[in-house]
Amino acid sequence: NFEIRVLNESTCTVAVSDADTEGLRQLVPAARVFTVPNGVDVDFFQPDWTAPRKNVVVFVGNMDYQPNVDAVRYFTGSIWPMVHRERPDSEFVVIGARPPAVVRKCGEIPGVKILGFVDDVRPYLQTASVYVAPLRVGGGTKLKVLTAMACGAAIVSSPVGAEGIDFENGREMWVEDTPESTADRILAVLRNPNEQISLGMAGRCLVERLYSWPHIGEINEAVYQTALKMGPVGSDGKPH
């Protein structure tokens, strides 16, 4: 009800993914909704192509956010055991502030390390063999995935984790939708250092082209200009 009221009262509305935009338009078909994706600081988050990649799978996310907690529990319970069975020398590292007890408990699973808060995520993303985004719930564009891309990480994601990103599957990242296919894909990337680099380079090029803040700013400014031309919303709920 709140969203419907705000959509009716707003000259323009911004969503961060096409899926969210479509959802809002279904609520109020006459609403003027525009997609302005999330972005990433491509100057701060840079790859280090000279750093050796470790046999490590990484996930980064605030651990007081329930979709991230669900992702870690799902991954460590349903996917990681298959990966670790084939590659017992591999490690899954979870980075994120304030991990609750259920996440810390996952650290008892063989090959899983719960690091919690770190001062700088960049070295972990730059040297990981695979970054995973096994999210099952949540909307919008995932900043964590754009950040990993900017750092040149090879990404294996769920469909939810990749939502809102304009990518080609198998080029900028891989998207799998079952535990078995996800584990198989992670193992394939772990075995192929060249693919780790090629995925990382393609992902980096994608964020430079579509998700840098200057580019996002241009899109956002165009929405503001549209709103200015339309004028404020009147008491009848229509732009004047």
Side-chain angles (χ1 to χ4, degrees), residues 28-218:
V28 180
R32 292 176 173 84
V33 187
F34 299 86
T35 301
V36 180
N38 279 319
V40 62
D41 186 341
V42 297
D43 294 323
F44 182 78
F45 293 104
Q46 291 266 358
D48 183 356
W49 304 118
T50 65
R53 303 226 166 188
K54 302 174 183 178
N55 195 25
V56 173
V57 178
V58 170
F59 175 80
V60 176
N62 287 330
M63 286 297 114
D64 56 1
Y65 181 52
Q66 187 55 38
N68 289 341
V69 173
D70 176 79
V72 170
R73 296 184 69 190
Y74 164 62
F75 186 81
T76 55
S78 300
I79 300 170
W80 179 249
M82 291 185 281
V83 175
H84 196 251
R85 183 169 57 247
E86 294 295 321
R87 294 294 298 266
D89 58 332
S90 61
E91 187 174 53
F92 177 49
V93 175
V94 178
I95 298 169
R98 300 173 293 279
V102 292
V103 170
R104 295 196 300 271
K105 183 75 173 175
C106 295
E108 299 175 6
I109 297 170
V112 177
K113 180 182 290 186
I114 310 298
L115 284 189
F117 173 81
V118 299
D119 290 327
D120 190 347
V121 300
R122 290 174 296 179
Y124 298 92
L125 297 175
Q126 292 163 343
T127 60
S129 292
V130 181
Y131 177 88
V132 291
L135 292 128
R136 299 192 292 179
V137 291
T141 311
K142 309 306 180 290
L143 290 169
K144 59 178 72 68
V145 175
L146 295 177
T147 299
M149 276 188 167
C151 287
I155 299 170
V156 178
S157 176
S158 67
V160 172
E163 184 179 293
I165 299 175
D166 186 8
F167 72 100
E168 180 183 339
N169 199 9
R171 177 175 172 81
E172 289 91 7
M173 64 174 160
W174 283 105
V175 170
E176 303 291 348
D177 60 1
T178 69
E180 294 77 14
S181 65
T182 302
D184 288 345
R185 183 63 61 192
I186 291 169
L187 286 165
V189 177
L190 285 173
R191 297 187 191 106
N192 191 338
N194 289 334
E195 185 176 20
Q196 294 170 27
I197 296 297
S198 64
L199 284 170
M201 287 183 168
R204 173 67 193 189
C205 289
L206 181 70
V207 295
E208 287 179 348
R209 180 164 48 90
L210 296 181
Y211 300 104
S212 68
W213 284 123
H215 178 69
I216 300 301
E218 292 175 1

Side-chain angles (χ1 to χ4, degrees), residues 6-8 10-15 21 24 31-36 223:
V6 170
L7 285 165
N8 281 319
S10 301
T11 306
C12 296
T13 302
V14 168
T21 295
L24 293 174
R32 292 176 173 84
V33 187
F34 299 86
T35 301
V36 180
V223 175

